[in-house]
Amino acid sequence: MIAGLAIAFVLLTAHASRADGYAFDTGDVLRISVIGEASYPLDVVVDDRGSISLPMLGDIQARGLTTVALSQAIEHAFRQQKLILEPFVKVEIGQYRPFFISGTVAHPGSYPFQPGITVRHALAIAGGFRASAVGNTEPALQIADLRSTRANLAIEEYRLKVRLARLQAEIREDKSFVAPADPPIEFGGHLIADIIASEQAQLNARLAAYQDDISYLQTSLDRAKKEADMVAATRKEREKTANLQLEELQSARSLREKGLITNSNVNSAERAHTSYRAELAQTELQQEQAQQEMLNAQSELRKKRQSHEVELIGQTQDTQVELGKVQSQIRYVADKLLFIFTYGEQRTFDDLQGSVKISIFRRDQKIAHDLVADENTEVKAGDVIEVSLAANKGFYAPDSGTMAPPNTEGAATQPGIIGQ
């Protein structure tokens, strides 16, 4: 309890100094205050597009911004839309997006993030390191259960790999994709075919829907361009006619001065010229409207392509994260299986010091990557922390039941044991 309070005190004191440099992302809950506005303050969540939705302003991009940068962006939006001349906006972090911890810990799962925590803090929050314990359970039964779990995870891993292949094909607008060539041995042929067929059906349906939308918008754009061209041609012809009529009017006025024609003839020419000018003005207005419709059609087409691309990128990143989690679980199950198969007893964190592997799967705004970490590595919101045991045959002294000096050189998960 005392240790927990000490950790909480450290986190709270570090929070204020570090929050200003914290970059927002999906899952963060933000508190927005606008001085003098009745609809504020309010709490908003950063959505999967990295945006927040605010009264009067609509969507504001928040991903990658800090409290200061987002405050300035909201103030700029108020001024740009002329809603508030001198806005004062304050952005606070209501709740951070969680971090995740898996592997050889007492309570794997997601936990609230606080700035300044390290892997050591995360391990404490998750109940500390726990190597696999056989306890009173028959090791052979536990090994069978773990093999079943690993088989299910392998199926999920392959399904996510197939989905990634489909998403990449969809980004390229290919009509088919090449499925991964390494299906797990746990698969039957029909299961592989069903997974691939399902993703292919999704690819066909999504491409067809997207192409229909693009074709419709392109047709609208072509129609708008054609209309604009026709109106421009009509205006050109009317300009020519108006110019010729003006020349006739000027000629009529000249003849009237010479007494060769009457005023009624000149008046008729002036009325005709006025009518031509009115028609020309109407045509000019129609041309402006046609050009605006063409620009609107171009904008809609561009927005559709951009939103489609953003959606696919987001789905790809989410699938990569899910795949990373599943692969992390597979590695954990493999480590646990090896540990139980080889040793069949529980060891403490101190006993296993030097043989614990800690890695962090971290995604920023553009890419996701794995980091090798230790207990003092700082954790960031959204991190997936994997804690695993790098076991090896020399880890325990044979026949003595005591620990041998840790030897991580040549450590392996010995995948051959999994299939035994």
Side-chain angles (χ1 to χ4, degrees), residues 169-420:
E170 190 173 348
I171 290 174
R172 299 189 302 268
E173 297 186 27
D174 291 343
K175 294 183 178 179
S176 62
F177 63 90
V178 178
D182 56 346
I185 59 175
E186 294 85 356
F187 275 27
H190 68 283
L191 182 57
I192 298 174
D194 288 346
I195 290 175
I196 295 174
S198 176
E199 291 296 333
Q200 182 63 54
Q202 284 199 52
L203 177 62
N204 294 341
R206 288 175 59 84
L207 279 179
Y210 175 66
Q211 292 297 338
D212 285 346
D213 290 343
I214 292 296
S215 297
Y216 173 79
L217 293 173
Q218 186 64 55
T219 300
S220 299
L221 176 59
D222 294 341
R223 186 185 303 113
K225 286 181 177 178
K226 184 177 180 180
E227 181 68 22
D229 291 342
M230 292 175 61
V231 172
T234 301
R235 176 185 174 180
K236 187 174 181 180
E237 290 299 322
R238 289 186 175 177
E239 283 180 343
K240 290 180 180 180
T241 303
N243 290 334
L244 290 174
Q245 203 282 330
L246 178 61
E247 292 177 0
E248 292 178 0
L249 176 59
Q250 291 172 344
S251 177
R253 287 171 177 171
S254 177
L255 292 174
R256 182 182 59 183
E257 291 175 358
K258 296 178 181 179
L260 299 177
I261 62 175
T262 65
N263 284 334
S264 61
N265 294 331
V266 175
N267 292 337
S268 297
E270 288 177 344
R271 285 194 296 270
H273 178 67
T274 301
S275 176
Y276 281 125
R277 296 301 303 176
E279 291 178 358
L280 180 59
Q282 181 65 27
T283 305
E284 290 173 349
L285 178 60
Q286 292 174 351
Q287 185 178 18
E288 291 177 0
Q289 293 174 342
Q291 289 175 339
Q292 185 61 50
E293 289 178 2
M294 182 178 66
L295 293 175
N296 291 341
Q298 289 174 335
S299 177
E300 290 298 320
L301 182 60
R302 182 170 59 253
K303 287 179 180 178
K304 180 61 182 178
R305 285 176 171 151
Q306 290 173 344
S307 64
H308 181 70
E309 181 180 358
V310 169
E311 178 189 1
L312 288 176
I313 290 174
Q315 290 182 3
T316 300
Q317 290 178 339
D318 290 343
T319 303
Q320 288 172 336
V321 170
E322 290 299 318
L323 180 59
K325 292 178 182 179
V326 170
Q327 290 174 335
S328 173
Q329 292 173 332
I330 289 175
R331 291 192 294 269
Y332 162 61
V333 170
D335 284 345
K336 187 174 180 180
L337 184 56
L338 173 63
F339 184 87
I340 295 173
F341 185 89
T342 306
Y343 309 119
E345 59 179 305
Q346 183 177 6
R347 295 290 178 177
T348 67
F349 178 74
D350 291 336
D351 291 337
L352 298 172
Q353 191 67 37
S355 295
V356 177
K357 177 185 176 183
I358 300 172
S359 60
I360 296 178
F361 184 81
R362 179 171 297 166
R363 185 187 77 174
D364 56 26
Q365 278 70 43
K366 295 182 179 179
I367 60 173
H369 46 268
D370 287 301
L371 304 174
V372 178
D374 58 31
E375 291 180 82
N376 297 316
T377 301
E378 185 171 349
V379 177
K380 294 188 177 182
D383 278 355
V384 179
I385 306 169
E386 175 201 348
V387 184
S388 58
L389 176 66
N392 60 80
K393 288 295 185 180
F395 192 78
Y396 289 88
D399 302 326
S400 66
T402 59
M403 285 282 294
N407 174 21
T408 57
E409 182 177 357
T413 56
Q414 300 186 20
I417 293 176
I418 308 303
Q420 292 182 2

Side-chain angles (χ1 to χ4, degrees), residues 27-270:
D28 287 321
V29 179
L30 309 180
R31 186 167 183 80
I32 312 296
S33 301
V34 181
I35 302 301
E37 288 300 315
S39 55
Y40 294 88
L42 77 163
D43 294 334
V44 293
V45 180
V46 181
D47 62 23
D48 55 359
R49 301 170 299 164
S51 301
I52 58 174
S53 182
L54 298 178
M56 300 186 291
L57 296 179
D59 289 344
I60 299 291
Q61 185 66 28
R63 175 175 290 153
L65 300 184
T66 62
T67 54
V68 174
L70 182 56
S71 299
Q72 293 172 348
I74 297 173
E75 289 174 353
H76 175 73
F78 273 119
R79 286 192 294 267
Q80 188 179 44
Q81 297 186 31
K82 298 181 180 180
L83 298 172
I84 304 177
L85 296 181
E86 294 296 334
F88 181 79
V89 177
K90 182 180 181 182
V91 177
E92 299 173 286
I93 301 172
Q95 181 178 326
Y96 294 91
R97 60 189 183 274
F99 69 90
F100 305 85
I101 185 167
S102 66
T104 49
V105 293
H107 306 293
S110 64
Y111 293 92
F113 171 78
Q114 288 292 334
I117 68 171
T118 64
V119 171
R120 185 183 297 274
H121 297 139
L123 286 170
I125 293 171
F129 179 86
R130 294 292 185 273
S132 301
V134 175
N136 296 324
T137 304
E138 175 63 36
L141 296 178
Q142 202 165 16
I143 288 173
D145 290 341
L146 288 172
R147 284 175 176 165
S148 175
T149 300
R150 186 183 184 280
N152 292 334
L153 289 171
I155 292 173
E156 178 66 10
E157 179 190 30
Y158 187 76
R159 187 182 69 82
L160 291 172
K161 286 182 177 180
V162 174
R163 177 183 296 177
L164 273 178
R166 187 263 294 173
L167 288 169
Q168 291 164 356
E170 190 173 348
I171 290 174
R172 299 189 302 268
E173 297 186 27
D174 291 343
K175 294 183 178 179
S176 62
F177 63 90
V178 178
D182 56 346
I185 59 175
E186 294 85 356
F187 275 27
H190 68 283
L191 182 57
I192 298 174
D194 288 346
I195 290 175
I196 295 174
S198 176
E199 291 296 333
Q200 182 63 54
Q202 284 199 52
L203 177 62
N204 294 341
R206 288 175 59 84
L207 279 179
Y210 175 66
Q211 292 297 338
D212 285 346
D213 290 343
I214 292 296
S215 297
Y216 173 79
L217 293 173
Q218 186 64 55
T219 300
S220 299
L221 176 59
D222 294 341
R223 186 185 303 113
K225 286 181 177 178
K226 184 177 180 180
E227 181 68 22
D229 291 342
M230 292 175 61
V231 172
T234 301
R235 176 185 174 180
K236 187 174 181 180
E237 290 299 322
R238 289 186 175 177
E239 283 180 343
K240 290 180 180 180
T241 303
N243 290 334
L244 290 174
Q245 203 282 330
L246 178 61
E247 292 177 0
E248 292 178 0
L249 176 59
Q250 291 172 344
S251 177
R253 287 171 177 171
S254 177
L255 292 174
R256 182 182 59 183
E257 291 175 358
K258 296 178 181 179
L260 299 177
I261 62 175
T262 65
N263 284 334
S264 61
N265 294 331
V266 175
N267 292 337
S268 297
E270 288 177 344

